[in-house]
Amino acid sequence: MDSSVPPETLDRAAAEAEVEALRAEIRRHDYLYHVEARPEISDAAYDRIYRRLQAIEARFPDLVTPDSPTQRVGAEPRDDLPTIPHLAPMLSLDSTQKEEDLRRFHDRTVKSVEGAVQYLLEPKLDGLSIELVYLEGVLDRAVTRGNGREGEGVTENIRTIRSVPLRLRAEERPSPPLLSIRGEVLMSLSAFESLNQELVEKGEEPFANPRNAAAGAIRQLDSAITASRPLHFLAFNVLVVEGMGFRSDEEVLHALRSWGLRTPERVRLVSEVDEILRYHEEFALERDSLDYEIDGIVIKVNDLDARTDLGSTSRHPRWALAYKFEPRKEVTRIERIAVQVGRTGVLTPVALLRPVEVGGVTVSRASLHNREELVRKDVREGDLVRVQRAGDVIPQVVERIEEPERERPEPYRMPERCPNCDSLLVVRGPFTVCPNRFECTAQLKGRIVHFGSRHALDIEGLGEETARLLVGRGLVSELAHLFDLTAAELEALPGFANKSAENLAAAISRRKNVPLERFLFGLGIPEVGVAVSHDLARHFRGLEAVRAATREELEEVPGIGPKMSEQIVAFFQDERVAAAIDAVLERGVRPKPPEAAREGPLDGRKFVFTGGLESLTRAEAKRLVEGAAGTVTSSVSGETDVVVAGEDAGSKLERARDLGVEILDEEGFLRLLDSHGIRS
Ligand code: IVH
């Protein structure tokens, strides 16, 4: 090929040959730069090759292929992320911080595995877990972990990551017809810090940690935004492969690398606990010098046959363990103590800190939880304190550091009146609460943020700052008003432009068709989290049925006890709550009940659970059965197909015996799920 020929004068045949050669060259340099970290050419030289490919493709658009390096960015923004099932369940990892658990893991493994045990040790990457699927060597889709069985399709966004090959390298090893791999998306600490700085300058809320920043980038509806945030992908597992097999994890990692994927650094093969401890110690020390976050090490049985023998529980494999680091701690001074009013009216004292770097992240506030905690820790304004940041938890004040020489002010006293609405505060146990549920704008702001949050209506762009503005300007004084907002009203708010105002108005309007479980969670019913919202939606199959449910009916749902049923009934019986929900419905919001799984391996079989289960909760067991089209009822009758009897099973077990119903213990139940490939 002669790259001096101007693209305009190339004929089609010459262009066709040249684009393939240019693509191969770009792929090689991408690989050298992003995977091997040993570039062979300058950025300028790379740009020249890239621009030539672009120019030729522009002249012969029919030569453009989806796996061309020019096609990483440029997909149209989407309305929603699709739900896509995984090719194999993405389990989570069992994890510990205790050496004794590690020893127990080792003992158990040694006992169950024939011959010598070898472990592969890897850093535990603190990012976002993703499945990538390659068909005939070409990237077909990328899916977030989600609930482990299905996740969100984020293909367009993942394509923008340079360390993700759009086409697998096939020099050393041919591409399999089907390959599904698992790995982690990370944002480097340096990119994270500059992104946060940019956000703060624009008056937006910064991300709490690099993992949230990476997740935010990956869940964008517009891949151009993802492309502007530098992300990395490290692969560490093959979920499914066709046409070839592997004997060990070591071999898997080698294959992943030969296909052009980046894999975790400094993996080590060991067989003794002492070696694991040493690796853990070494990485704990090195952790701060890495440009991405790790939160521990992962210990995995290397031999894949041994893994099959060890198997998995419904949640995690028995062949792997995450051995986490102690949370990072730093010392700083409390400049001031303030209180924050949350959506439920609870006042949280917050320590405003002299900013300090805790493991690469700047921390300037930390929660002091509640009044009793404040007294217990005896922290006051001006005190020197140790703060810690553990995973995605809000930074915490761990302890006060004694300074015998220093004079301290009086202990901080919680205010008597709400700093926001001036209502007289009420003391409930350790909590100080603003009782003005409907008029206190701080609570309203909290409710709006919660309503739009990720597990609720998931309205992009409805964050703290926007909620504050909407409430402050009187545009929203109850949730229903969100659905009246026009793009013109939003555009008048500081920080909004034409496009962002339209996007937010459209995002809110789209959510009139919201899954029931999300709507229920978004209402912020006391005690009701994501899992219970799901169970309520599945059980009652309609908003009105949930609203009308009695305490007894609610307690039919596994996982709902007397305390929760009381809260739920009281919530829906409150006249003002009822009016607020009606107002939302009047705006055309139609919470959609979940579809009954019509086909599944447990098709129509009726299960009753009695007694306690060890490895999963009742609610999880119910979800698994229902997800496979079985049903769960609370009493044993002639119709019952299976009774699962856990610890201390009572009269239901007796009745099952009397009626001759099939009885399974927990192991038996898990085996049944396994035999049908049902996993959480
Ligand atoms: S192996 C189920 N290896 O940690 C076993 N996972 O709590 C397959 N993670 O989100 C996972 N680094 O994605 C494995 N080197 C590593 C990892 C790793 C991070 C993530 C994983 C999951 C979480 C589990």
Side-chain angles (χ1 to χ4, degrees), residues 406-546:
R406 196 178 66 89
E407 251 202 68
R408 302 173 67 211
E410 288 295 300
Y412 178 81
R413 294 185 48 156
M414 293 294 279
E416 289 186 351
R417 290 182 172 276
C418 175
N420 183 66
C421 70
D422 210 38
S423 300
L424 215 46
L425 298 172
V426 181
V427 170
R428 268 187 225 142
F431 301 107
T432 309
V433 184
C434 167
N436 185 11
R437 273 176 61 202
F438 291 94
E439 268 93 38
C440 178
T441 52
Q443 296 186 45
L444 174 63
K445 191 194 96 181
R447 280 200 295 277
I448 294 173
V449 172
H450 179 75
F451 194 60
S453 67
R454 160 140 193 242
H455 292 291
L457 273 69
D458 196 16
I459 299 171
E460 179 125 357
L462 189 58
E464 290 276 337
E465 184 56 20
T466 306
R468 195 180 63 77
L469 290 167
L470 293 174
V471 173
R473 308 208 163 199
L475 286 168
V476 175
S477 53
E478 59 172 300
L479 290 180
H481 296 161
L482 288 170
F483 297 95
D484 300 333
L485 291 169
T486 63
E489 282 171 321
L490 291 168
E491 202 182 331
L493 299 178
F496 273 87
N498 183 291
K499 184 91 185 126
S500 49
E502 270 175 20
N503 286 348
L504 178 54
I508 294 173
S509 175
R510 256 199 312 271
R511 278 325 211 171
K512 288 183 180 167
N513 290 314
V514 57
L516 176 59
E517 60 273 19
R518 285 178 171 275
F519 186 78
L520 288 171
F521 177 68
L523 290 178
I525 309 165
E527 309 266 336
V528 174
V530 174
V532 174
S533 306
H534 253 273
D535 294 342
L536 285 171
R538 277 204 167 279
H539 189 91
F540 291 100
R541 306 209 159 275
L543 176 62
E544 292 314 315
V546 182

Side-chain angles (χ1 to χ4, degrees), residues 91-93 122-125 129 145 182 184 236-237 264 298 300 317 319:
L91 302 180
S92 61
L93 278 173
E122 285 173 7
K124 183 167 185 309
L125 312 164
S129 208
R145 190 175 108 81
R182 177 173 183 173
E184 207 84 351
F236 47 68
N237 209 1
V298 184
K300 304 178 187 179
W319 44 259

Side-chain angles (χ1 to χ4, degrees), residues 296-452:
I297 63 167
V298 184
I299 302 138
K300 304 178 187 179
V301 171
N302 186 39
D303 187 275
L304 300 190
D305 282 338
R307 285 190 185 182
T308 310
D309 292 344
L310 283 159
S312 302
T313 71
S314 65
R315 292 194 238 197
H316 45 244
R318 292 199 187 85
W319 44 259
L321 181 70
Y323 186 21
K324 299 241 229 173
F325 300 137
E326 291 281 321
R328 288 193 265 214
K329 300 184 177 102
E330 292 295 341
V331 171
T332 188
R333 203 172 284 285
I334 297 186
E335 292 185 328
R336 211 161 63 75
I337 296 176
V339 285
Q340 216 168 279
V341 185
R343 73 180 157 89
T344 56
V346 172
L347 266 70
T348 308
V350 180
L352 304 179
L353 306 165
R354 181 168 301 169
V356 61
E357 283 242 329
V358 188
V361 173
T362 310
V363 171
S364 55
R365 21 187 326 129
S367 170
L368 291 164
H369 301 288
N370 57 48
R371 198 184 58 252
E372 282 181 6
E373 184 80 0
L374 208 60
V375 173
R376 197 173 63 73
K377 289 188 176 150
D378 184 28
V379 293
R380 307 182 191 177
E381 294 189 335
D383 281 350
L384 202 59
V385 289
R386 207 179 300 285
V387 292
Q388 87 173 19
R389 193 170 64 82
D392 53 353
V393 188
I394 312 160
Q396 295 177 12
V397 172
V398 186
E399 60 184 353
R400 176 167 74 83
I401 296 168
E402 289 280 357
E403 293 171 288
E405 299 297 301
R406 196 178 66 89
E407 251 202 68
R408 302 173 67 211
E410 288 295 300
Y412 178 81
R413 294 185 48 156
M414 293 294 279
E416 289 186 351
R417 290 182 172 276
C418 175
N420 183 66
C421 70
D422 210 38
S423 300
L424 215 46
L425 298 172
V426 181
V427 170
R428 268 187 225 142
F431 301 107
T432 309
V433 184
C434 167
N436 185 11
R437 273 176 61 202
F438 291 94
E439 268 93 38
C440 178
T441 52
Q443 296 186 45
L444 174 63
K445 191 194 96 181
R447 280 200 295 277
I448 294 173
V449 172
H450 179 75
F451 194 60

Side-chain angles (χ1 to χ4, degrees), residues 151-302:
E152 288 173 316
V154 290
T155 316
E156 301 308 334
N157 299 340
I158 290 290
R159 287 173 68 88
T160 68
I161 304 177
R162 298 301 201 89
S163 43
V164 172
L166 298 179
R167 168 184 286 280
L168 298 176
R169 286 166 62 85
E171 277 87 1
E172 265 176 62
R173 189 186 297 256
S175 309
L178 171 76
L179 175 70
S180 153
I181 62 174
R182 177 173 183 173
E184 207 84 351
V185 172
L186 301 168
M187 184 178 285
S188 70
L189 289 174
S190 40
F192 166 72
E193 287 279 306
S194 51
L195 170 64
N196 264 358
Q197 202 175 338
E198 218 177 276
L199 290 173
V200 169
E201 277 163 16
K202 280 199 286 183
E204 292 177 35
E205 195 71 18
F207 287 102
N209 55 47
R211 169 155 38 83
N212 290 2
I218 284 303
R219 299 186 64 256
Q220 290 292 333
L221 295 175
D222 183 354
S223 62
I225 300 180
T226 315
S228 71
R229 312 228 168 127
L231 297 169
H232 305 277
F233 180 81
L234 272 71
F236 47 68
N237 209 1
V238 166
L239 291 169
V240 181
V241 62
E242 260 174 26
M244 61 180 75
F246 300 109
R247 281 185 308 260
S248 69
D249 204 17
E250 221 187 353
E251 230 178 86
V252 167
L253 289 182
H254 190 266
L256 289 170
R257 273 194 295 275
S258 70
W259 283 321
L261 288 141
R262 189 173 156 189
T263 57
E265 287 153 74
R266 276 168 277 197
V267 303
R268 190 179 293 170
L269 210 53
V270 305
S271 44
E272 302 289 334
V273 172
D274 283 350
E275 295 171 292
I276 301 176
L277 292 173
R278 202 174 318 131
Y279 186 82
H280 184 260
E281 220 170 278
E282 285 171 20
F283 252 116
L285 289 176
E286 215 170 332
R287 178 180 188 202
D288 286 337
S289 60
L290 295 173
D291 193 33
Y292 51 85
E293 286 260 62
I294 59 174
D295 57 350
I297 63 167
V298 184
I299 302 138
K300 304 178 187 179
V301 171
N302 186 39

Side-chain angles (χ1 to χ4, degrees), residues 557-578:
V557 180
I560 297 190
K563 202 171 147 217
M564 215 188 272
S565 72
E566 187 181 350
Q567 296 267 27
I568 297 172
V569 167
F571 179 82
F572 285 115
Q573 272 177 1
D574 186 310
E575 275 173 28
R576 305 197 55 173
V577 169

